[in-house]
Amino acid sequence: MEKLEHPLWIVQIVNALLGPLVAAALGPLGVEFAPGEDVIPNYLVMAGLILVAVTVGCLLVRNRLRVENPGKGQILLEDGVSAIGGMLEEWIGPQGRRYLPLVGTIGVFILMGNYMGLVPGLMAPTSSINVTLGCAITVWVYYHIQGVKEQGLWPYLKHFAAPPGAPILIAPIMLPIEIISHLSRVMSLSLRLFGNIFGEELVIMILFSIVPFLVPLPMMLLGLVTGGLQAFIFVLLTVIYLQGAVTHHEEAHGAGAHAEPVAAV
Amino acid sequence: MRKRTVLTSVLLMLAFVAVAPLHAQEAGAGGNSQMVMWSIITAGFALAFAAAFGALGQAKGLAAAAESIARNPSAAGEIRGVLILGLVLIESLVIYVLLISLILFFIQPFAG
């Protein structure tokens, strides 16, 4: 796929500035770089760009937030925060908002990452499997940690072996199924996002190489839709996995509309 | 009528499958390039099948969701959530096949 990618000027600038430093730092670890090779890959530069953009945006906005007479941007941001918080409360319950930091961060990162692919001169970092796999592993480790924290280590391990109310005898059947289903969550989370964004970028690139005027526009509009939808789906699945790990199964039977955990893979 | 269409299309496909290697043999290609050719053909067919049946499954879910929203509009929000979740879970299967096809198209693991 390297042939189809044109060099991005921002990647070249970053590599010219920081490349020798990083190469020198990685040298003792046994990582060798061919001359002319980009030391810092595209997706890492783009992920760093998101980090810088979000940090600078937050610092700029911080002093303008008002309780009375909020501006349009502030209302938009508050709507976004309350949407994710509302989703957490709807699925997990009233204590769900404590997971807002990680879920919101993942959502913002993936949304911005998906939309970066539509800006000329940038690429979508989520069209690299490394970035999406990183996000998926983060979510996976996080929901296991939260599950252990909430239920305790032994009850949490026990709910893999036998669902609540079932005899412990079915553990030999349930345990492999549960382990495989939990491991496949990493694969499905990362590959879904990667496949969508990569496929979309590929289609735009192919159309662009055939007719570089107006023809890729409908696909880019579609990219706008899928980018937002995929970010939403990633957040939604994160919340569902968190709910499955965190909910106490003894209480879960009578509580709320979503008492039955969705068997989502 | 329908049976005949199915039969004809299956026969046509078999004919193509039977004829295609002969042409490849005439081209005098080595074993590896033939492997690449077949993997690319397989990738195209796999993607077509995945898209077709994925779309069929999504259409079923969509039809049921539209019907139930029409029957009970007050439940639209919840139905929409379930619908999107289900559509995405179906779609991700198609995406897996897309990735496999892309690997077969561009990386060509059987070429080396």
Side-chain angles (χ1 to χ4, degrees):
Chain A
M1 291 316 300
E2 304 298 324
K3 291 167 286 184
L4 282 176
E5 286 174 4
H6 50 280
L8 306 164
W9 57 269
I10 189 158
V11 177
Q12 287 174 331
I13 290 175
V14 171
N15 267 301
L17 287 178
L18 297 177
L21 272 176
V22 176
L26 288 178
L29 296 174
V31 186
E32 298 285 330
F33 292 99
E37 186 190 355
D38 278 349
V39 177
I40 307 172
N42 283 346
Y43 56 87
L44 221 52
V45 176
M46 293 301 152
L49 207 62
I50 293 179
L51 180 70
V52 171
V54 170
T55 312
V56 169
C58 286
L59 287 179
L60 281 182
V61 152
R62 190 179 59 175
N63 290 327
R64 296 199 203 140
L65 297 181
R66 298 275 179 276
V67 177
E68 298 97 19
N69 192 16
K72 283 176 191 164
Q74 186 184 347
I75 291 177
L76 198 69
L77 290 177
E78 282 176 359
D79 274 356
V81 171
S82 65
I84 299 179
M87 197 198 285
L88 280 164
E89 278 180 355
E90 183 193 344
W91 281 92
I92 300 177
Q95 84 278 19
R97 264 185 194 262
R98 80 171 73 141
Y99 309 114
L100 186 62
L102 183 115
V103 175
T105 308
I106 290 267
V108 167
F109 178 76
I110 290 176
L111 188 69
M112 291 187 72
N114 290 349
Y115 283 166
M116 268 172 105
L118 302 173
V119 180
L122 302 178
M123 66 163 274
T126 40
S127 70
S128 158
I129 184 73
N130 298 321
V131 175
T132 60
L133 194 61
C135 290
I137 289 177
T138 310
V139 166
W140 194 75
V141 170
Y142 181 74
Y143 84 73
H144 280 306
I145 289 176
Q146 291 300 327
V148 170
K149 228 180 191 176
E150 195 71 25
Q151 302 191 31
L153 183 59
W154 185 242
Y156 185 68
L157 289 180
K158 211 177 119 191
H159 101 265
F160 285 114
I168 199 74
L169 281 176
I170 62 169
I173 308 170
M174 285 301 290
L175 203 58
I177 295 177
E178 284 284 316
I179 288 173
I180 290 173
S181 95
H182 275 260
L183 286 179
S184 73
R185 283 174 179 184
V186 180
M187 194 191 84
S188 73
L189 265 184
S190 59
L191 284 187
R192 179 182 305 119
L193 185 58
F194 164 69
N196 268 291
I197 306 305
F198 181 73
E200 169 210 319
E201 287 220 317
L202 198 68
V203 167
I204 292 176
M205 220 185 287
I206 289 172
L207 282 182
F208 206 83
S209 65
I210 298 171
V211 186
F213 182 66
L214 283 184
V215 176
L217 267 185
M219 287 321 287
M220 293 175 92
L221 187 69
L222 205 64
L224 219 56
V225 177
T226 52
L229 191 66
Q230 287 307 316
F232 170 72
I233 285 300
F234 200 98
V235 169
L236 181 65
L237 285 176
T238 304
V239 172
I240 290 173
Y241 295 160
L242 265 173
Q243 185 246 7
V246 157
T247 313
H248 290 281
H249 288 281
E250 288 81 5
E251 316 166 350
H253 285 293
H258 297 292
E260 283 300 310
V262 177
V265 171
Chain B
M1 186 64 209
R2 220 176 128 200
K3 241 181 194 170
R4 198 192 261 166
T5 329
V6 171
L7 198 69
T8 323
S9 51
V10 167
L11 278 180
L12 267 178
M13 268 172 67
L14 280 181
F16 276 125
V17 167
V19 166
L22 297 180
H23 283 289
Q25 299 255 316
E26 279 169 9
N32 260 340
S33 71
Q34 207 174 15
M35 190 77 186
V36 169
M37 185 193 77
W38 277 111
S39 68
I40 285 177
I41 291 173
T42 314
F45 268 102
L47 193 51
F49 275 112
F53 291 111
L56 214 62
Q58 288 197 335
K60 265 189 157 172
L62 189 59
E67 200 173 311
S68 44
I69 288 178
R71 201 170 288 172
N72 184 6
S74 59
E78 208 152 310
I79 292 173
R80 194 177 300 125
V82 174
L83 175 71
I84 290 179
L85 188 62
L87 288 187
V88 164
L89 291 178
I90 297 170
E91 190 203 339
S92 65
L93 299 177
V94 184
I95 293 287
Y96 297 158
V97 180
L98 172 72
L99 287 177
I100 293 171
S101 304
L102 287 179
I103 288 172
L104 288 179
F105 277 136
F106 292 111
I107 302 176
Q108 295 187 348
F110 299 114

